[in-house]
Amino acid sequence: MSVIISGLLLGGTYALIAVGLTMQYGVSRIMNLANGENLVFACFIAFWLFTTFAINPIVGIVLIVPLAFVLNWLIYTYAMRPLVDRAKNRGQLEVDSILATFGLLFILQGIMKLTFGGGYFNYNFLAVPVTIMGSNYGLNRIVAFIAAAIIAGALYLFLNHTRYGTAIRAVAVDPVSAGLVAINVPRASAFAFALGGALTAASGALLSTFYTFNADMGIIFTMKALIIVIMGGVGDVRGAVLAALLLGLAETAVATFIDPGLTIAATYALFMLVLLFRPQGIFGKRPS
Amino acid sequence: MTWLNEKERRIAGFAAIAFGVVALLPLVDQGYYLSISVNIVMYVVLCTAWTLFSGPTHYISLATAAFFGIGTYTVALGIDTVPFPLLLVIAALASGLLACVVGIATLRLSGIYFVIFTLGLAELVRQVVTWLQTNFSSSLGLYVFTDFGEKHIYWMLLGLAAIVYITGWLINRSRLGFAMQIIGNDETVAKHVGIDTARAKVILFIISGAFIGIVGAILAPRFSYVQPPSAFNPMISFQVVIMALLGGTKRIWGPLLGVIPFTILFDQVTAYFPNHTSFVIGIAFMAIVYLLPQGVLGRLEDLGRLRKRFRMVSAEEGNNP
């Protein structure tokens, strides 16, 4: 039982990262491999705000999210847009965006290493045990999970029950047809990219409350997020959330019952199964 | 030698002389220059092997570190009991097997699955090896004691480089190479003319992975103490991608143009600005995407085309004064 609850708590944070990535890849068609650095950056900002100004990380999100939104908007407009314009087909754009975001990844990592150093960081925030069904869990993990659930819920409402959200989903389905029904595709893509970055940053701020982080770990999170996105089906928010919870469960189970050093192996085992049996994602339809 | 035409024979002769001259280096210097040359030849083999697969398919493989580490571990585990040449064969087989499994799982699908899978592959193998070692053996590291010095490693790598170049050239002439060209240009067309695209890609990936495994095996004596984090160093994967793309992947000798300048640059940066290596890698990736999309090779070919056109124009002007 305690494995299931810790797994779900971990999965909640993963879900937010993966939803951020699926916005960027599903809507803007940019495979952003620097997404994990975005997350670690947010961890550091939250850490800095908390230790220097004693700003509560949950409040810190309010500052971090708009910052990440603007930063990602700029990245899309100045770095990714030219690649979208010059690409002859989707494959070309994928290769270009992978390479460009690798560049971004290492540059961001370099900045963080120079500013904060290569050590491990964490801070004490709401590290109080809470008892649920006989086992103890950190209050910070529960708060992070609830905050992630609220943000994901708000995103779901936005995408499915507002006009602009529908436009973004239309771009996700087919950018060319979306342009034909008077949707400003470049703007919607930039917006989705920035929103995805902001969501990832939010999950970074939440993660920093209970996780020990360092400047190098971004790529691991990018990888997990990518695997979740593939498992859930590209561009599918519901699928990403479900896949994230599954991954959180699988990792916690392997860490508890076999060895904490084998979490990536657990991730890969799940990934292999999905690739072999449902490459279109959990809720995806087979292409006709 | 009826199967080589005039031009090919000239290239082969020139290449043989070049290899011969380069092989004399350890007789002149045994210190810094030999050490950096070992790095250069190592990356030449890695990047060329990488290009065998990623050049025609345009799939960015980040599995280099995984194959390399498997090669290194093969030697570290077997050096006391198995003769070295046999270990090289086992390293090739083991890496080829891993490439086969990864290829079958991902290469039937679109390229993005492959990139994601290879991104974490080195980390995955590292975790599994660490887990096996902590649970089934007493220590985390392995000692590799051999009589090999830098110069032996250098000569072995040079020999391997020659084999990789010849293999690449043979593939280009074969049915497989022809199939890869069509796949690279348009995969749908390739499928329609009856090419088993997944099979062709998997075979090429296995060949590429096996060569990278051998490089890891040859380099093992250089480490002398092998541990999972040093054998499965993910930076190797990224550096190989950068150097190969920087040089250009359209021709088999393209990566050479990227490896030599980048290895020297990176060596200098590591020596004098050790905290800035991430920036160099980041900027190199950016440069490839925004400035050199076809690599140095592409720029050279542009220049060549420009010169040809210029010559044609001036010839025409000469005809009609």
Side-chain angles (χ1 to χ4, degrees):
Chain A
M1 194 61 213
S2 77
V3 169
I4 295 178
I5 294 180
S6 339
L8 289 179
L9 290 178
L10 183 64
T13 320
Y14 283 167
L16 211 50
I17 310 171
V19 167
L21 195 75
T22 205
M23 292 292 289
Q24 295 189 326
Y25 183 54
V27 183
S28 324
R29 301 315 201 247
I30 300 291
M31 179 43 85
N32 184 7
L33 294 173
N35 203 35
E37 270 52 41
N38 201 346
L39 170 110
V40 181
F41 213 50
C43 286
F44 275 113
I45 303 277
F47 171 81
W48 178 66
L49 287 176
F50 185 74
T51 48
T52 318
F53 304 103
I55 294 176
N56 178 329
I58 305 294
V59 180
I61 289 185
V62 181
L63 298 170
I64 290 168
V65 164
L67 184 75
F69 189 88
V70 172
L71 194 70
N72 278 280
W73 188 293
L74 293 177
I75 290 174
Y76 184 80
T77 317
Y78 290 104
M80 300 303 148
R81 191 76 225 160
L83 301 180
V84 176
D85 290 339
R86 88 174 185 204
K88 290 186 208 81
N89 53 44
R90 180 115 193 234
Q92 164 103 50
L93 177 61
E94 247 158 32
V95 172
D96 277 349
S97 64
I98 286 170
L99 294 174
T101 53
F102 268 145
L104 203 60
L105 182 167
F106 283 106
I107 290 172
L108 286 175
Q109 203 181 69
I111 294 174
M112 286 189 286
K113 266 194 204 157
L114 280 188
T115 328
F116 296 99
Y120 285 83
F121 293 83
N122 68 340
Y123 56 93
N124 267 328
F125 172 72
L126 292 181
V128 218
V130 175
T131 313
I132 305 171
M133 289 194 257
S135 314
N136 285 333
Y137 305 94
L139 180 60
N140 43 21
R141 280 178 187 255
I142 296 168
V143 169
F145 180 80
I146 294 170
I150 292 172
I151 295 172
L155 179 76
Y156 187 80
L157 288 179
F158 165 70
L159 286 178
N160 287 287
H161 297 280
T162 64
R163 200 180 151 80
Y164 203 61
T166 313
I168 285 177
R169 282 189 299 133
V171 178
V173 174
D174 189 339
V176 179
S177 315
L180 294 178
V181 294
I183 293 168
N184 186 344
V185 176
R187 230 193 83 146
S189 297
F191 181 82
F193 190 87
L195 184 63
L199 287 168
T200 309
S203 58
L206 293 176
L207 190 76
S208 72
T209 59
F210 63 86
Y211 200 90
T212 306
F213 52 93
N214 76 343
D216 289 327
M217 69 169 199
I219 190 126
I220 299 285
F221 280 92
T222 309
M223 205 192 72
K224 285 180 184 167
L226 284 168
I227 290 176
I228 293 168
V229 167
I230 301 289
M231 277 167 63
V234 173
D236 184 343
V237 173
R238 259 180 332 158
V241 171
L242 184 67
L245 295 178
L246 270 178
L247 188 73
L249 279 176
E251 270 191 10
T252 316
V254 168
T256 318
F257 299 125
I258 307 176
D259 192 304
L262 283 178
T263 47
I264 302 232
T267 313
Y268 263 75
L270 264 181
F271 190 33
M272 273 288 229
L273 287 178
V274 170
L275 284 183
L276 292 175
F277 298 108
R278 286 197 76 81
Q280 70 277 31
I282 301 174
F283 292 125
K285 293 187 188 73
R286 247 170 224 290
S288 49
Chain B
M1 296 266 267
T2 48
W3 45 286
L4 289 177
N5 66 27
E6 175 78 23
K7 191 180 162 207
E8 282 167 340
R9 235 174 303 166
R10 217 171 342 132
I11 293 175
F14 179 73
I17 293 170
F19 263 98
V21 171
V22 174
L24 295 178
L25 178 84
L27 306 181
V28 184
D29 184 86
Q30 296 264 13
Y32 173 73
Y33 291 104
L34 178 61
S35 158
I36 195 160
S37 301
V38 169
N39 282 342
I40 290 177
V41 183
M42 172 183 102
Y43 279 115
V44 165
V45 182
L46 290 176
C47 294
T48 312
W50 185 87
T51 305
L52 284 183
F53 171 75
S54 296
T57 55
H58 307 296
Y59 284 10
I60 297 167
S61 161
L62 293 166
T64 311
F67 299 139
F68 187 91
I70 285 181
T72 308
Y73 256 86
T74 310
V75 172
L77 286 172
I79 192 71
D80 295 329
T81 44
V82 186
F84 194 72
L86 190 61
L87 282 175
L88 295 186
V89 176
I90 298 173
L93 290 177
S95 327
L97 185 70
L98 179 68
C100 183
V101 173
V102 174
I104 288 173
T106 58
L107 288 175
R108 297 171 299 129
L109 308 162
S110 83
I112 204 78
Y113 297 91
F114 175 77
V115 180
I116 297 169
F117 203 94
T118 58
L119 177 63
L121 192 65
E123 182 68 15
L124 168 72
V125 181
R126 189 182 67 81
Q127 277 200 353
V128 174
V129 169
T130 312
W131 182 72
L132 289 175
Q133 279 195 323
T134 42
N135 285 283
F136 301 102
S137 109
S138 48
S139 71
L140 250 183
L142 291 161
Y143 287 97
V144 184
F145 291 127
T146 56
D147 303 330
F148 294 130
E150 288 275 272
K151 58 181 177 185
H152 301 107
I153 295 175
Y154 179 72
W155 281 324
M156 283 192 279
L157 285 173
L158 265 186
L160 188 63
I163 296 172
V164 171
Y165 276 121
I166 293 169
T167 312
W169 178 74
L170 287 175
I171 290 176
N172 273 342
R173 289 166 56 110
S174 68
R175 278 176 71 90
L176 181 65
F178 190 45
M180 287 319 288
Q181 257 177 28
I182 302 172
I183 294 173
N185 287 335
D186 193 327
E187 188 151 353
T188 321
V189 171
K191 276 184 189 147
H192 278 280
V193 296
I195 296 170
D196 187 344
T197 54
R199 190 171 147 264
K201 284 187 263 184
V202 172
I203 292 176
L204 219 56
F205 191 49
I206 292 173
I207 298 174
S208 161
F211 277 126
I212 294 171
I214 301 178
V215 177
I218 293 178
L219 262 290
R222 207 189 196 198
F223 287 117
S224 64
Y225 185 64
V226 176
Q227 273 183 303
S230 60
F232 296 97
N233 175 9
M235 289 317 281
I236 289 184
S237 304
F238 290 108
Q239 276 171 275
V240 164
V241 174
I242 289 176
M243 292 185 207
L245 292 176
L246 205 60
T249 55
K250 271 192 182 162
R251 303 241 184 284
I252 185 142
W253 47 268
L256 196 63
L257 302 174
V259 170
I260 296 175
F262 194 83
T263 312
I264 295 170
L265 172 77
F266 203 73
D267 183 73
Q268 295 297 317
V269 173
T270 323
Y272 296 108
F273 308 98
N275 295 324
H276 294 72
T277 47
S278 304
F279 285 110
V280 176
I281 296 215
I283 291 165
F285 269 119
M286 292 292 188
I288 289 167
V289 178
Y290 296 103
L291 302 176
L292 294 164
Q294 301 295 328
V296 177
L297 181 71
R299 281 291 141 120
L300 284 181
E301 285 183 342
D302 286 350
L303 263 180
R305 230 169 285 143
L306 217 70
R307 235 176 50 196
K308 212 183 249 171
R309 197 179 308 154
F310 179 73
R311 221 181 283 150
M312 266 160 61
V313 170
S314 48
E316 269 174 27
E317 278 171 357
N319 288 340
N320 328 301

Short mmCIF file of all heavy atoms in Angstrom, two decimals, chain A residues 117-154:
data_model
loop_
_atom_site.label_atom_id
_atom_site.label_comp_id
_atom_site.label_asym_id
_atom_site.label_seq_id
_atom_site.Cartn_x
_atom_site.Cartn_y
_atom_site.Cartn_z
N GLY A 117 27.62 25.76 -9.15
CA GLY A 117 28.57 24.69 -8.89
C GLY A 117 27.96 23.33 -9.16
O GLY A 117 26.76 23.22 -9.43
N GLY A 118 28.79 22.31 -9.08
CA GLY A 118 28.34 20.97 -9.47
C GLY A 118 27.76 20.14 -8.34
O GLY A 118 27.43 18.99 -8.54
N GLY A 119 27.64 20.73 -7.13
CA GLY A 119 27.22 19.94 -5.97
C GLY A 119 25.74 19.62 -5.95
O GLY A 119 24.98 20.02 -6.83
N TYR A 120 25.34 18.88 -4.92
CA TYR A 120 23.93 18.53 -4.75
C TYR A 120 23.26 19.53 -3.82
O TYR A 120 23.86 20.00 -2.86
CB TYR A 120 23.81 17.12 -4.17
CG TYR A 120 24.10 16.06 -5.18
CD1 TYR A 120 25.40 15.68 -5.45
CD2 TYR A 120 23.08 15.46 -5.89
CE1 TYR A 120 25.69 14.73 -6.40
CE2 TYR A 120 23.35 14.49 -6.84
CZ TYR A 120 24.66 14.13 -7.08
OH TYR A 120 24.92 13.18 -8.03
N PHE A 121 22.01 19.87 -4.12
CA PHE A 121 21.29 20.86 -3.34
C PHE A 121 19.96 20.29 -2.84
O PHE A 121 19.31 19.52 -3.54
CB PHE A 121 20.96 22.09 -4.20
CG PHE A 121 22.17 22.86 -4.61
CD1 PHE A 121 22.91 22.48 -5.71
CD2 PHE A 121 22.57 23.98 -3.89
CE1 PHE A 121 24.03 23.19 -6.09
CE2 PHE A 121 23.68 24.70 -4.26
CZ PHE A 121 24.42 24.30 -5.36
N ASN A 122 19.59 20.71 -1.64
CA ASN A 122 18.22 20.51 -1.20
C ASN A 122 17.94 21.47 -0.05
O ASN A 122 18.84 22.13 0.45
CB ASN A 122 17.97 19.05 -0.79
CG ASN A 122 18.72 18.69 0.46
OD1 ASN A 122 19.70 19.35 0.82
ND2 ASN A 122 18.26 17.66 1.11
N TYR A 123 16.68 21.61 0.30
CA TYR A 123 16.35 22.50 1.41
C TYR A 123 15.16 21.90 2.14
O TYR A 123 14.46 21.03 1.61
CB TYR A 123 16.07 23.92 0.94
CG TYR A 123 14.98 24.05 -0.09
CD1 TYR A 123 13.66 24.31 0.29
CD2 TYR A 123 15.27 23.94 -1.44
CE1 TYR A 123 12.66 24.45 -0.66
CE2 TYR A 123 14.28 24.07 -2.40
CZ TYR A 123 12.98 24.32 -2.00
OH TYR A 123 12.00 24.45 -2.93
N ASN A 124 14.96 22.35 3.36
CA ASN A 124 13.89 21.79 4.19
C ASN A 124 12.64 22.63 4.07
O ASN A 124 12.60 23.77 4.46
CB ASN A 124 14.32 21.77 5.66
CG ASN A 124 14.95 20.45 6.00
OD1 ASN A 124 14.57 19.42 5.44
ND2 ASN A 124 15.92 20.47 6.88
N PHE A 125 11.62 22.04 3.50
CA PHE A 125 10.36 22.76 3.39
C PHE A 125 9.25 21.77 3.68
O PHE A 125 9.13 20.76 3.00
CB PHE A 125 10.21 23.36 2.00
CG PHE A 125 8.85 23.95 1.75
CD1 PHE A 125 8.48 25.13 2.38
CD2 PHE A 125 7.94 23.33 0.91
CE1 PHE A 125 7.23 25.67 2.17
CE2 PHE A 125 6.69 23.87 0.70
CZ PHE A 125 6.33 25.04 1.33
N LEU A 126 8.49 22.04 4.71
CA LEU A 126 7.36 21.17 5.10
C LEU A 126 7.78 19.71 5.23
O LEU A 126 7.06 18.81 4.84
CB LEU A 126 6.24 21.26 4.06
CG LEU A 126 5.48 22.57 3.93
CD1 LEU A 126 4.39 22.43 2.88
CD2 LEU A 126 4.87 22.99 5.25
N ALA A 127 8.98 19.49 5.78
CA ALA A 127 9.44 18.10 5.92
C ALA A 127 8.85 17.50 7.20
O ALA A 127 9.56 17.15 8.13
CB ALA A 127 10.96 18.05 5.94
N VAL A 128 7.53 17.43 7.24
CA VAL A 128 6.83 16.90 8.41
C VAL A 128 6.15 15.60 8.00
O VAL A 128 5.54 15.55 6.93
CB VAL A 128 5.72 17.86 8.90
CG1 VAL A 128 5.66 17.89 10.40
CG2 VAL A 128 5.92 19.24 8.33
N PRO A 129 6.26 14.57 8.80
CA PRO A 129 5.58 13.32 8.41
C PRO A 129 4.07 13.41 8.56
O PRO A 129 3.55 14.03 9.49
CB PRO A 129 6.18 12.29 9.37
CG PRO A 129 6.69 13.07 10.52
CD PRO A 129 7.05 14.42 10.02
N VAL A 130 3.37 12.83 7.60
CA VAL A 130 1.91 12.74 7.65
C VAL A 130 1.58 11.25 7.57
O VAL A 130 2.17 10.54 6.77
CB VAL A 130 1.28 13.47 6.46
CG1 VAL A 130 -0.23 13.28 6.45
CG2 VAL A 130 1.62 14.93 6.49
N THR A 131 0.67 10.79 8.41
CA THR A 131 0.35 9.36 8.41
C THR A 131 -0.90 9.10 7.58
O THR A 131 -1.95 9.69 7.82
CB THR A 131 0.14 8.86 9.84
OG1 THR A 131 1.22 9.34 10.64
CG2 THR A 131 0.10 7.35 9.89
N ILE A 132 -0.74 8.28 6.52
CA ILE A 132 -1.88 7.84 5.74
C ILE A 132 -1.90 6.33 5.78
O ILE A 132 -0.93 5.69 5.36
CB ILE A 132 -1.78 8.31 4.27
CG1 ILE A 132 -1.60 9.81 4.21
CG2 ILE A 132 -3.03 7.91 3.49
CD1 ILE A 132 -1.27 10.32 2.83
N MET A 133 -2.96 5.76 6.30
CA MET A 133 -3.12 4.31 6.37
C MET A 133 -1.90 3.63 6.96
O MET A 133 -1.35 2.68 6.40
CB MET A 133 -3.45 3.74 4.99
CG MET A 133 -4.85 4.12 4.57
SD MET A 133 -5.39 3.16 3.19
CE MET A 133 -5.20 4.32 1.89
N GLY A 134 -1.43 4.15 8.08
CA GLY A 134 -0.39 3.45 8.82
C GLY A 134 1.03 3.72 8.38
O GLY A 134 1.96 3.27 9.04
N SER A 135 1.25 4.42 7.25
CA SER A 135 2.63 4.71 6.85
C SER A 135 2.84 6.22 6.80
O SER A 135 1.88 6.98 6.63
CB SER A 135 2.94 4.13 5.47
OG SER A 135 2.46 2.83 5.38
N ASN A 136 4.10 6.62 6.92
CA ASN A 136 4.39 8.05 6.94
C ASN A 136 4.85 8.55 5.57
O ASN A 136 5.61 7.89 4.89
CB ASN A 136 5.51 8.33 7.96
CG ASN A 136 4.99 8.24 9.37
OD1 ASN A 136 3.80 8.47 9.60
ND2 ASN A 136 5.87 7.89 10.29
N TYR A 137 4.39 9.75 5.21
CA TYR A 137 4.82 10.39 3.98
C TYR A 137 5.16 11.83 4.30
O TYR A 137 4.56 12.43 5.19
CB TYR A 137 3.71 10.36 2.92
CG TYR A 137 3.22 8.96 2.66
CD1 TYR A 137 2.10 8.47 3.33
CD2 TYR A 137 3.89 8.13 1.78
CE1 TYR A 137 1.66 7.18 3.12
CE2 TYR A 137 3.46 6.83 1.58
CZ TYR A 137 2.35 6.36 2.24
OH TYR A 137 1.94 5.09 2.03
N GLY A 138 6.14 12.41 3.56
CA GLY A 138 6.49 13.81 3.78
C GLY A 138 5.34 14.71 3.34
O GLY A 138 4.76 14.49 2.27
N LEU A 139 5.05 15.72 4.17
CA LEU A 139 3.97 16.66 3.81
C LEU A 139 4.31 17.38 2.50
O LEU A 139 3.44 17.64 1.67
CB LEU A 139 3.77 17.67 4.95
CG LEU A 139 2.67 18.71 4.72
CD1 LEU A 139 1.31 18.06 4.53
CD2 LEU A 139 2.61 19.69 5.89
N ASN A 140 5.64 17.65 2.29
CA ASN A 140 6.03 18.37 1.07
C ASN A 140 5.65 17.59 -0.18
O ASN A 140 5.23 18.15 -1.18
CB ASN A 140 7.53 18.70 1.09
CG ASN A 140 8.37 17.54 1.58
OD1 ASN A 140 7.92 16.39 1.55
ND2 ASN A 140 9.57 17.84 2.03
N ARG A 141 5.79 16.25 -0.13
CA ARG A 141 5.41 15.44 -1.29
C ARG A 141 3.91 15.54 -1.56
O ARG A 141 3.47 15.61 -2.71
CB ARG A 141 5.75 13.97 -1.04
CG ARG A 141 7.20 13.68 -1.27
CD ARG A 141 7.51 12.24 -0.95
NE ARG A 141 8.95 12.04 -1.02
CZ ARG A 141 9.56 11.43 -2.03
NH1 ARG A 141 8.88 10.93 -3.02
NH2 ARG A 141 10.86 11.33 -2.04
N ILE A 142 3.13 15.51 -0.47
CA ILE A 142 1.68 15.56 -0.65
C ILE A 142 1.25 16.92 -1.20
O ILE A 142 0.45 17.02 -2.13
CB ILE A 142 0.99 15.24 0.69
CG1 ILE A 142 1.33 13.80 1.07
CG2 ILE A 142 -0.51 15.45 0.59
CD1 ILE A 142 0.97 13.44 2.47
N VAL A 143 1.86 17.99 -0.64
CA VAL A 143 1.54 19.34 -1.13
C VAL A 143 1.91 19.45 -2.61
O VAL A 143 1.14 19.97 -3.43
CB VAL A 143 2.28 20.41 -0.29
CG1 VAL A 143 2.18 21.77 -0.94
CG2 VAL A 143 1.70 20.44 1.11
N ALA A 144 3.10 18.92 -2.97
CA ALA A 144 3.52 18.99 -4.37
C ALA A 144 2.55 18.24 -5.26
O ALA A 144 2.20 18.71 -6.36
CB ALA A 144 4.93 18.41 -4.52
N PHE A 145 2.09 17.08 -4.79
CA PHE A 145 1.16 16.30 -5.60
C PHE A 145 -0.14 17.07 -5.81
O PHE A 145 -0.67 17.15 -6.93
CB PHE A 145 0.87 14.96 -4.90
CG PHE A 145 -0.09 14.09 -5.66
CD1 PHE A 145 0.36 13.34 -6.73
CD2 PHE A 145 -1.43 14.03 -5.31
CE1 PHE A 145 -0.52 12.53 -7.45
CE2 PHE A 145 -2.31 13.24 -6.02
CZ PHE A 145 -1.86 12.48 -7.09
N ILE A 146 -0.66 17.67 -4.72
CA ILE A 146 -1.92 18.40 -4.84
C ILE A 146 -1.76 19.58 -5.79
O ILE A 146 -2.59 19.82 -6.68
CB ILE A 146 -2.41 18.86 -3.45
CG1 ILE A 146 -2.76 17.62 -2.61
CG2 ILE A 146 -3.61 19.78 -3.56
CD1 ILE A 146 -3.02 17.90 -1.16
N ALA A 147 -0.64 20.31 -5.64
CA ALA A 147 -0.41 21.46 -6.52
C ALA A 147 -0.33 21.00 -7.97
O ALA A 147 -0.91 21.63 -8.86
CB ALA A 147 0.87 22.18 -6.11
N ALA A 148 0.38 19.87 -8.20
CA ALA A 148 0.49 19.36 -9.57
C ALA A 148 -0.89 18.99 -10.11
O ALA A 148 -1.23 19.29 -11.27
CB ALA A 148 1.40 18.14 -9.61
N ALA A 149 -1.72 18.38 -9.26
CA ALA A 149 -3.06 17.99 -9.70
C ALA A 149 -3.89 19.22 -10.06
O ALA A 149 -4.61 19.23 -11.07
CB ALA A 149 -3.74 17.18 -8.61
N ILE A 150 -3.76 20.28 -9.25
CA ILE A 150 -4.53 21.50 -9.54
C ILE A 150 -4.09 22.09 -10.88
O ILE A 150 -4.91 22.45 -11.73
CB ILE A 150 -4.35 22.53 -8.39
CG1 ILE A 150 -5.02 22.00 -7.12
CG2 ILE A 150 -4.94 23.88 -8.79
CD1 ILE A 150 -4.74 22.83 -5.89
N ILE A 151 -2.77 22.16 -11.08
CA ILE A 151 -2.27 22.76 -12.33
C ILE A 151 -2.71 21.92 -13.53
O ILE A 151 -3.18 22.45 -14.54
CB ILE A 151 -0.73 22.89 -12.28
CG1 ILE A 151 -0.34 23.87 -11.18
CG2 ILE A 151 -0.19 23.38 -13.61
CD1 ILE A 151 1.15 23.94 -10.91
N ALA A 152 -2.57 20.60 -13.42
CA ALA A 152 -2.97 19.73 -14.53
C ALA A 152 -4.46 19.86 -14.80
O ALA A 152 -4.89 19.90 -15.96
CB ALA A 152 -2.60 18.28 -14.23
N GLY A 153 -5.27 19.96 -13.74
CA GLY A 153 -6.71 20.12 -13.91
C GLY A 153 -7.04 21.43 -14.63
O GLY A 153 -7.86 21.46 -15.56
N ALA A 154 -6.35 22.49 -14.23
CA ALA A 154 -6.58 23.79 -14.86
C ALA A 154 -6.23 23.71 -16.34
O ALA A 154 -6.96 24.24 -17.20
CB ALA A 154 -5.74 24.86 -14.17
#
